[in-house]
Amino acid sequence: MLPDKNSAQTAWKNCIPPVLVFLAALGAWQILMSQHVLPPSMFPTPRQVAKGFGEEMHSGRLYTDIIASLWRVVVGFTLSVLVALPAGIALGQSSLLRSAFMPALNFLRCLSPLAWIGFAILWFGVGDNSAIFLIFLSLVFPIALSVSTAVLSIPPLYYRVAKELGLSQWEKLNQVILPAIMPGLITTLRVAMGVGWLVVVAAEMTAGNSGLGFAIYDDRNALRQDLLVVHMIVIGIIGLLLDRMLAGIASMPSVQWGYQQTNL
Amino acid sequence: MKPDTTTMLRLENVSRSYSGRQVLQNISFSVNAGEFVAVVGPSGCGKTTLLRLLGGHETHDTGTLERCAHTRTIYQQGGLLPWKTALENVAMGLLHIEKSNGKRITLANEMLGSVGMDGYQESYPHQLSGGMRQRVELARALVSGSEILLMDEPFSALDFLTRLKMRSELIRLLKDKEQTVIFVTHDVEEAAQLATRIILLTRRPAAIACEITLPEMERPRSLSHPVVIDTAEKMLNVLGMHV
Ligand SMILES: Nc1ncnc2c1ncn2[C@@H]1O[C@H](COP(=O)(O)OP(=O)(O)OP(=O)(O)O)[C@@H](O)[C@H]1O
Ligand SMILES: [Mg+2]
């Protein structure tokens, strides 16, 4: 009983500071506008933004934009994990593969995904597939690198234990390698999802005809500052929610060891 | 050698170096079934290296090494898998030995009980104290019924009282079993309390300084027993630490 009440209390307490910060920012914004520190030609007022929000909700365009962007980022992210995870594990286990592929991987990792836009449009046209391709390219190399580093840093002790217990290659992968890199992998995936969300907006602005990035592009052309702010807020909130979802995996009991200061 | 004893481990002139630096030098000894051999030597002399060779995790450079049965190791740094619960860790010890998963869980549960870890089945290693982790690791090694146990300073991270307790529990758990134990320690009294035979190693590169066979008697021998006191003193003399 008591711990429950306490944890509810701390959860409540943890909510207060960010809410206060939010309200203060909103107040500051309103004051800056009403004191004409920010001229109305430069930035919309909170009221205008609220009105723009209602407009977007009413027309239903906001939903379709959100769905379009989410679909692209989720597919691009999933594809890159499906490729990068096995590739990273293979790289982490073989010094031959590392010496063969690491220079190319690092080269590709350093290329801004937006540099590929010309080819993306040429190969996939304007729309979903271009954006997915760009997200895939921007995520697959850093995830592969991060996974290979994580595999490399698994203590050899665990491989000895696996050998002694007679684990097969498959069991070793499932019961030793994957769980050993899991805590780090979760962090990698959170960072990757954040990058993917940045890239989808950029990709839609240049190679899209829908989605939140395209909406921003549209707002700019239509000189609708109020909608610009609406879409910026929505992009930020969804990015936050995506991160929270992935961070939720970190509360699984079998990865807790990776986040604890053990009493070693 | 009596004809009815089986040799479990045999080393002949085994040497091992790391990048030109010799760690083990011409080690020869053999271990019979049921023996409890303590390997004692100064820190950094190559005891862990020797166990890695015995367990087949590394190869020796020269000499011959014969191993006649499966080994299970209790690791100096702790070898439990941190992402598995105590019960899962112990059940892992039965993988490929016991086919049915349910049977593995039952046996693992019983084993956890007999090392005094009832009620901690679902705990993860990081939620246990050092002594509890050692008990779980001991359970994982024992549950398999492996004929050779390699133990690398299993109790050295524990406080004195827990260490004494674990010594008698280890002997109790090994009772009525034909298991052969190689027990590495730097604690001369521990060796004298537990072992049927002691192998003393020199400083690096480790060579065998001497072997001591202890009289057969109820173990663990009491710390104040004359055999323990005499043996410990003898070992300290050989190690060059006169008291
Ligand atoms: N993988 C390795 N590569 C290079 N040198 C090694 C390696 N393993 C051990 N050594 C060296 O071999 C020597 C013996 O190491 P080992 O761990 O066997 O000692 P130990 O007797 O177990 O010491 P302690 O009592 O401190 O556990 C040390 O000098 C160490 O530096
Ligand atoms: Mg050691």
Side-chain angles (χ1 to χ4, degrees), chain B residues 18-19 21 23 41-50 52 58 76 152-153 186 204:
Chain B
Y18 288 111
S19 38
R21 181 200 284 168
V23 176
S43 181
C45 75
K47 304 183 293 294
T48 299
T49 306
L50 178 63
R52 284 208 287 264
E58 274 180 33
Q76 189 170 2
D152 196 355
E153 307 198 22
H186 57 245
R204 202 191 72 222

Side-chain angles (χ1 to χ4, degrees), chain B residues 11-239:
Chain B
L11 289 81
E12 223 176 280
N13 291 319
V14 167
S15 299
R16 170 76 166 133
S17 354
Y18 288 111
S19 38
R21 181 200 284 168
Q22 185 141 39
V23 176
L24 298 176
Q25 190 179 23
N26 290 332
I27 305 278
S28 304
F29 64 87
S30 65
V31 179
N32 292 331
E35 274 195 286
F36 191 122
V37 176
V39 175
V40 182
S43 181
C45 75
K47 304 183 293 294
T48 299
T49 306
L50 178 63
L51 281 196
R52 284 208 287 264
L53 296 187
L54 292 177
H57 298 297
E58 274 180 33
T59 50
H60 48 289
D61 301 331
T62 57
T64 51
L65 191 160
E66 281 169 39
R67 179 177 44 249
C68 305
H70 275 292
T71 60
R72 282 290 158 93
T73 308
I74 295 190
Y75 297 90
Q76 189 170 2
Q77 317 93 313
L80 293 179
L81 301 177
W83 47 86
K84 289 189 179 283
T85 63
L87 184 64
E88 290 167 344
N89 262 292
V90 177
M92 289 280 284
L94 287 161
L95 213 70
H96 304 292
I97 293 174
E98 177 56 56
K99 286 264 180 301
S100 127
N101 187 46
K103 195 86 187 290
R104 283 205 291 268
I105 298 291
T106 314
L107 289 172
N109 246 322
E110 278 169 20
M111 196 68 225
L112 271 178
S114 64
V115 297
M117 287 295 292
D118 252 337
Y120 292 95
Q121 283 85 346
E122 300 310 318
S123 299
Y124 285 87
H126 72 263
Q127 298 168 320
L128 301 173
S129 74
M132 291 158 114
R133 284 199 293 268
Q134 283 304 334
R135 285 169 190 269
V136 178
E137 197 164 348
L138 192 59
R140 184 178 73 186
L142 291 174
V143 78
S144 66
S146 260
E147 284 143 306
I148 307 174
L149 292 179
L150 306 173
M151 307 181 72
D152 196 355
E153 307 198 22
F155 308 143
S156 61
L158 309 176
D159 65 89
F160 183 67
L161 290 178
T162 314
R163 210 149 63 208
L164 284 185
K165 187 139 183 267
M166 290 300 287
R167 288 175 195 166
S168 33
E169 295 207 14
L170 174 64
I171 297 295
R172 173 179 65 80
L173 289 162
L174 290 171
K175 215 161 229 147
D176 316 320
K177 301 220 173 71
E178 272 298 289
Q179 270 157 323
T180 310
V181 180
I182 313 289
F183 188 101
V184 162
T185 178
H186 57 245
D187 185 329
V188 291
E189 285 177 328
E190 186 167 70
Q193 275 193 289
L194 296 177
T196 58
R197 184 154 59 106
I198 297 171
I199 295 176
L200 259 173
L201 299 178
T202 61
R203 268 191 211 92
R204 202 191 72 222
I208 293 183
C210 75
E211 282 193 33
I212 304 168
T213 305
L214 288 107
E216 230 169 272
M217 56 187 284
E218 182 85 16
R219 289 176 299 138
R221 300 177 187 91
S222 142
L223 267 178
S224 54
H225 195 284
V227 169
V228 172
I229 295 172
D230 290 351
T231 311
E233 199 177 307
K234 198 160 141 198
M235 291 161 76
L236 288 176
N237 277 328
V238 175
L239 291 168

Side-chain angles (χ1 to χ4, degrees), chain A residues 127-148:
Chain A
D128 276 351
N129 292 345
S130 271
I132 290 171
F133 175 66
L134 292 176
I135 294 167
F136 175 80
L137 279 180
S138 55
L139 300 189
V140 71
F141 305 116
I143 297 180
L145 180 75
S146 163
V147 168
S148 72

